[in-house]
Amino acid sequence: QVQLDESGGGLVQAGGSLRLSCVASGIVFGSYVMAWFRQAPGQEREFVATIDSWNSGQTRYADSVKGRFTISRNNWQNTAFLTMNGLKPEDAAVYYCAARYARGLPNTTSDYPYWGQGTQVIVSS
């Protein structure tokens, strides 16, 4: 059974930083592409970032977070991270971790079969 558990969300002032974590179980973690999406109230879930499997180093970011957010992974710890710097009020959302077995760096929700429950990020102005 695949399980993704996010943590690290919370309240932060604009301009601040947070680091989200996603611990995976039930999969060979290194074989999976990992991604982060977010969903603000009343809006659709949107792509944030994705990182290729193993240690290929390939990543992809939404334009809105490029240069501020960094996605990374530690295959030994079965954990994916999203380091968020320079947070803005518009970054406030529930952040979801997602996983897919196939290669590639897609940015659509339908390409990821496995999802966590989400962790909330609140950014005060």
Side-chain angles (χ1 to χ4, degrees), residues 4 22 24 29 32-36 49-51 71 73 80 97-99 112:
L4 303 176
C22 171
F29 180 76
Y32 281 68
V33 172
M34 302 299 297
W36 289 93
T50 185
I51 185 167
I71 188 170
R73 65 189 299 155
C97 175
Y112 292 87

Side-chain angles (χ1 to χ4, degrees), residues 54-116:
W54 297 114
N55 293 317
S56 79
Q58 293 188 54
T59 58
R60 181 180 184 181
Y61 295 91
D63 288 342
S64 59
V65 306
K66 208 171 289 184
R68 299 187 297 124
F69 291 11
T70 302
I71 188 170
S72 59
R73 65 189 299 155
N74 184 321
N75 294 326
W76 293 106
Q77 295 179 345
N78 287 2
T79 304
F81 303 96
L82 184 69
T83 302
M84 306 185 293
N85 297 317
L87 281 161
K88 305 175 181 179
E90 53 263 43
D91 294 318
V94 177
Y95 282 71
Y96 296 91
C97 175
R100 64 180 254 129
Y101 179 70
R103 295 294 301 273
L105 299 172
N107 63 351
T108 56
T109 57
S110 59
D111 286 302
Y112 292 87
Y114 304 111
W115 292 84

